[in-house]
Amino acid sequence: MVSAIIRETVARMLGLDPNAVNEATVPSNLEGWDSTLFLELVLALEERLGFQFDADDIARIHSVGDIEALARVRHAG
Amino acid sequence: MKALTNPLADEGSNVAGEYLARARSHIDAGRPREALAALQIAYGSDHSQATAHRVSGLADGLDARKTGLTSVRVAYLSDHLIGPLPTLLRAQSLLSGLLVESYVPDFDTWQQEIADPASRFYGSQPEVVILDLTLERLAPELVASFVGLTPVGVDDLIARTTQAITAAMDELRRRLPSARVLVHSFIAPSHPVLGIYDRLAAVGQVDAVDRLNASLRREARERGDVYVVELAVLAAAVGQRFFDRRMYVLAKLPYGGEGLAVIALEHAKYLRALFGCAKKVLVLDADNTLWGGIVGEDGVEGIRLNEDSPARGYLDFQRYAAELARRGVVLALASSNDQSDVLEVFRVRPEMVLRESDFAIIVANWKDKAQNLLDIARELDLATQSFVFVDDDPVQCARVRDALPEIAVLQFPADPLGATDALARWGWFDTLALTTEDRQRNALYRSDVARQEFARNAGSPDEFLDSLGVRLFVARLGPGSLARAASLTQRTNQFNLTTRRYTEADLQARCNDSSWIAMTARLVDRFGDIGTIGLMMLHLEDGTATIDTFLLSCRALRRRVEDALLALAVAQAQMRGSSRIVGIHVPTAKNTQTATFYPAHGFVSLDETADGGRRWVTTSQITFPAGVSVAYEGQGW
């Protein structure tokens, strides 16, 4: 469920087909990527997920899998 | 642990996903109007940041001319990064028919951008400039080293900060005389270092920021066309999530997600008000919106209207709607009910705040809601674009959104106690002035409905007009009519030849300039005084009078008023020595009825203008129509 929300949000922010996003997707490899878009993605994810990432965790996010791992930790905690 | 998902938001998100995909294929297939509708439905159903981002991106594929959108150029000047503010503003404004293009300079270059006449900022030719500065950079002592400042030192900081901003305002106004400027006010620390002593001390932090904001407001008001965006009010509504220190540390973005959303919405309110896109009509459902329960099933006595229960939310909502009506919002009721049941509630239930007479029109039947909204628009002679529709039924909301995506749809919340805020936060009806006409508007529309009754009973249209007793009173535009005239330029879309939007400051400048003739017209008929309904502005140069603005409120249409006022404007220009009269028509999506106005009065085509309009010229007099009397009032004739 959490993964589905994350992938859908990433897809929408990047203009991708949701089915084309998986845990290996690395947003920064995509065309048009910049730091503003990254922060917008973080804010958009937090809005949908209902919690905030720690600043340190944000700096460590590379792939969609990283986001999912952080969300799972939050969800379990 | 907070619940991770909200099922309603998910549903909105799924709907949005579907419409975003549709918008994409409409754009690819070259169907911009259908694409616009799909984008409006997507963002109308789901206001999430992800959807805003996608809507804003897909809007690149829309052409303002082909879609009837009004394009607006915005530039941001700030001493920090602004993140997604432009995308949020673009998505939000698209709902109101505005296509916003933004210029965002590099980080903290606002002073260079203003100082350099060749900067990319000036090159972007902004119509609206948003100045978003922070105390942390402008006057860091007020924020971080306040203790030990002397009263004189604080006064000096306030004066210097005000001066830095007014210098920027003045430079902007000098180089961009027609641009509007929005300036963010400052926010005091939520926990001043002196704590409870802060308010008692000779110099307190909260007091210092209050005084700084007060001087900013004063300077803005003196200049006109400069508006202070009250950030503290927005921050108070959102709470702690307004700011986000993580984002400031990582990206020099001071605001959090919720802060960004309310700031972008606040900017959108100004754009709507400035560019003629504020809503004018509030259409309310009845069952479970004006009262709890269903009158057809629960009976007139069974519906819930109780101050001491959650049903109080319905009464609060009615009180808010009544306030809106007093500020000039036209109320309409559209209910799936028997008309007699709805009217009985008004007559039998004393708790009702809204009375039958508060509504310009009441429609209760079993027809399709979207059809009813179209009927209401026709009856009131107002475009559906200017409607806000509130209904508790998600199916009706989806139906109206789908059929009429230009209407703002609000689903009445499950908890009625949240309803007033749910409507008020959007500021759909916000304007930059409040005029006598605004306060009388509902009465005016009710008398319009009486006129239409009268028209139906009259014989031919000519007989109707002759018996209506139309009298026009024309006055020089002056201090007493500036607010109403500015509001007319900002609100009038249908009978508006050039659709040029002006503020009070713009109009004041024309009053003071002897090369302009600027006049307003007031309309009176047998049903009463309809108020100031027309504005005409002509620019005189070398024997030619150019009609810069010719507009009529839709309440004055189809009674030969436009013919009489054109004849009068032309006669005035001729008396002032202009032998050639040039009329300009700039087509928009909404003013199609004015396309033949000049040729129908004997003007001949001259040439095209840069903005896609056409100039028409005449050297003849225009005949005054029969059955309309015209008199001059006030000074200067």
Side-chain angles (χ1 to χ4, degrees):
Chain A
M1 186 63 193
V2 175
S3 282
I5 292 173
I6 290 171
R7 291 174 193 195
E8 187 201 274
T9 305
V10 170
R12 194 163 295 174
M13 289 296 293
L14 301 174
L16 303 171
D17 183 330
N19 299 318
V21 177
N22 57 44
E23 62 179 21
T25 304
V26 176
S28 59
N29 288 344
L30 296 163
E31 202 184 326
W33 183 257
D34 62 25
S35 57
T36 301
L37 186 53
F38 176 60
L39 288 172
E40 287 189 48
L41 174 61
V42 170
L43 291 169
L45 285 165
E46 290 180 343
E47 180 185 52
R48 289 298 309 283
L49 294 170
F51 68 81
Q52 291 199 330
F53 299 104
D54 292 336
D56 286 343
D57 290 339
I58 294 175
R60 281 197 286 267
I61 292 175
H62 292 290
S63 68
V64 169
D66 294 340
I67 303 168
E68 290 175 2
L70 287 168
R72 271 195 299 274
V73 171
R74 282 301 188 111
H75 197 39
Chain B
M1 184 77 214
K2 191 174 159 183
L4 277 176
T5 55
N6 154 356
L8 253 185
D10 268 356
E11 196 184 310
S13 181
N14 293 338
V15 171
E18 190 189 320
Y19 279 96
L20 287 170
R22 282 193 210 176
R24 181 62 197 261
S25 49
H26 286 313
I27 288 169
D28 291 345
R31 292 189 296 263
R33 279 177 178 277
E34 290 81 355
L36 170 61
L39 290 176
Q40 288 176 325
I41 298 166
Y43 192 56
S45 320
D46 170 37
H47 279 77
S48 72
Q49 297 198 41
T51 298
H53 186 86
R54 189 78 183 119
V55 165
S56 170
L58 286 170
D60 288 344
L62 300 176
D63 177 319
R65 281 223 185 139
K66 286 185 191 147
T67 48
L69 291 165
T70 302
S71 61
V72 180
R73 293 183 303 275
V74 173
Y76 294 85
L77 292 175
S78 111
D79 56 11
H80 50 78
L81 289 183
I82 55 169
L85 278 182
T87 44
L88 294 170
L89 178 62
R90 189 165 153 95
Q92 185 65 53
S93 302
L94 202 61
L95 291 181
S96 307
L98 294 170
L99 186 60
V100 177
E101 304 287 346
S102 293
Y103 171 68
V104 183
D106 295 333
F107 172 65
D108 200 15
T109 55
W110 68 279
Q111 282 154 313
Q112 294 94 304
E113 293 275 7
I114 292 179
D116 177 8
S119 66
R120 287 197 296 144
F121 162 72
Y122 290 118
S124 75
Q125 297 181 292
E127 295 159 282
V128 176
V129 178
I130 299 173
L131 200 54
D132 179 11
L133 304 172
T134 51
L135 281 183
E136 270 179 317
R137 295 182 69 93
L138 271 184
E141 301 92 328
L142 285 181
V143 184
S145 55
F146 188 79
V147 182
L149 285 179
T150 62
V152 174
V154 169
D155 289 348
D156 185 50
L157 272 173
I158 292 172
R160 274 194 287 137
T161 310
T162 306
Q163 211 278 325
I165 297 171
T166 52
M169 287 178 191
D170 290 338
E171 191 63 11
L172 287 173
R173 287 172 52 77
R174 199 166 66 81
R175 295 198 188 276
L176 297 169
S178 59
R180 327 300 186 202
V181 181
L182 307 185
V183 187
H184 284 194
S185 67
F186 299 107
I187 301 183
S190 16
H191 306 291
V193 61
L194 297 177
I196 57 172
Y197 179 63
D198 186 73
R199 282 293 189 180
L200 306 170
V203 279
Q205 237 169 341
V206 173
D207 178 60
V209 176
D210 278 353
R211 280 157 54 206
L212 174 56
N213 285 334
S215 82
L216 206 56
R217 282 182 210 114
R218 199 165 47 240
E219 298 289 344
R221 192 165 299 155
E222 276 172 15
R223 281 164 178 79
D225 290 349
V226 179
Y227 304 96
V228 176
V229 177
E230 297 292 349
L231 230 54
V233 176
L234 303 182
V238 171
Q240 275 199 318
R241 292 271 184 103
F242 187 80
F243 291 113
D244 188 336
R245 289 311 278 179
R246 297 171 314 157
M247 290 293 150
Y248 195 65
V249 168
L250 292 171
K252 291 282 177 281
L253 170 64
Y255 310 116
E258 291 176 45
L260 291 162
V262 294
I263 294 169
L265 176 57
E266 197 74 1
H267 294 161
K269 293 175 192 173
Y270 280 95
L271 296 195
R272 287 184 215 137
L274 286 167
F275 293 90
C277 294
K279 302 291 183 186
K280 301 169 187 172
V281 184
L282 176 58
V283 186
L284 301 168
D285 173 41
D287 289 332
N288 287 316
T289 297
L290 290 184
W291 52 75
I294 297 170
V295 64
E297 292 174 11
D298 303 322
V300 175
E301 297 298 339
I303 58 170
R304 295 188 304 281
L305 285 165
N306 187 339
E307 297 281 3
D308 305 316
S309 78
R312 184 193 176 107
Y314 300 108
L315 293 167
D316 288 342
F317 188 70
Q318 288 196 30
R319 279 187 274 269
Y320 182 66
E323 281 277 88
L324 286 177
R326 285 189 283 272
R327 71 161 286 182
V329 174
V330 176
L331 297 187
L333 193 153
S335 166
S336 298
N337 258 316
D338 289 331
Q339 178 110 5
S340 55
D341 282 347
V342 172
L343 295 182
E344 203 186 348
V345 175
F346 286 108
R347 285 163 196 160
V348 171
R349 292 295 296 260
E351 310 98 309
M352 286 288 288
V353 178
L354 289 169
R355 313 308 309 174
E356 198 179 328
S357 59
D358 289 319
F359 291 90
I361 184 166
I362 292 178
V363 176
N365 57 35
W366 299 95
K367 283 199 282 187
D368 173 47
K369 272 270 161 99
Q371 185 56 50
N372 276 335
L373 289 167
L374 287 170
D375 291 345
I376 290 172
R378 203 185 46 245
E379 195 82 10
L380 296 176
D381 215 342
L382 286 167
T384 45
Q385 182 91 55
S386 64
F387 281 30
V388 174
F389 172 65
V390 184
D391 196 312
D392 66 297
D393 179 353
V395 176
Q396 299 280 23
C397 288
R399 162 72 190 136
V400 169
R401 212 175 261 136
D402 197 63
L404 303 165
E406 70 278 14
I407 293 184
V409 175
L410 175 73
Q411 188 180 338
F412 193 91
D415 176 5
L417 290 171
T420 298
D421 275 359
L423 175 61
R425 64 183 297 263
W426 294 108
W428 289 120
F429 306 104
D430 286 9
T431 54
L432 291 166
L434 195 58
T435 63
T436 320
E437 278 80 6
D438 289 331
R439 283 190 283 266
Q440 295 169 349
R441 185 161 294 119
N442 271 287
L444 292 170
Y445 276 99
R446 276 194 303 282
S447 68
D448 268 5
V449 175
R451 277 180 195 92
Q452 295 200 359
E453 284 284 342
F454 182 69
R456 277 193 277 270
N457 298 330
S460 69
D462 278 346
E463 281 169 33
F464 163 67
L465 285 176
D466 291 340
S467 57
L468 201 51
V470 173
R471 284 177 293 156
L472 286 167
F473 296 90
V474 177
R476 294 272 183 220
L477 181 63
S481 53
L482 286 176
R484 170 61 180 166
S487 149
L488 277 171
T489 71
Q490 287 154 16
R491 294 174 61 101
T492 309
N493 297 313
Q494 298 183 58
F495 202 97
N496 194 338
L497 272 298
T498 53
T499 317
R500 294 182 179 162
R501 313 294 189 190
Y502 291 116
T503 60
E504 287 184 48
D506 296 329
L507 297 179
Q508 177 68 57
R510 282 161 182 74
C511 289
N512 297 341
D513 182 340
S514 63
S515 68
W516 284 84
I517 301 178
M519 301 172 286
T520 57
R522 185 165 66 87
L523 173 59
V524 178
D525 69 14
R526 58 179 288 164
F527 291 97
D529 188 337
I530 299 176
T532 300
I533 46 77
L535 175 70
M536 297 143 283
M537 293 202 294
L538 294 85
H539 187 232
L540 312 181
E541 197 172 31
D542 303 331
T544 295
T546 303
I547 307 175
D548 172 275
T549 294
F550 191 99
L551 64 83
L552 277 189
S553 157
C554 47
R555 289 201 310 271
L557 296 180
R558 285 183 291 283
R559 50 192 83 175
R560 303 176 191 143
V561 167
E562 60 276 31
D563 304 333
L565 291 178
L566 182 65
L568 177 132
V570 168
Q572 280 289 322
Q574 287 163 341
M575 270 164 54
R576 290 277 300 273
S578 297
S579 52
R580 284 170 86 238
I581 314 295
V582 172
I584 306 171
H585 174 250
V586 182
T588 68
K590 294 173 195 160
N591 73 354
T592 41
Q593 63 175 291
T594 60
T596 57
F597 184 58
Y598 287 126
H601 288 90
F603 285 63
V604 295
S605 174
L606 184 61
D607 55 15
E608 283 188 21
T609 62
D611 52 0
R614 177 165 292 283
R615 300 201 306 155
W616 299 85
V617 65
T618 187
T619 52
S620 312
Q621 292 188 338
I622 311 281
T623 317
F624 277 84
V628 179
S629 81
V630 183
Y632 294 105
E633 65 180 357
Q635 295 176 334
W637 298 106

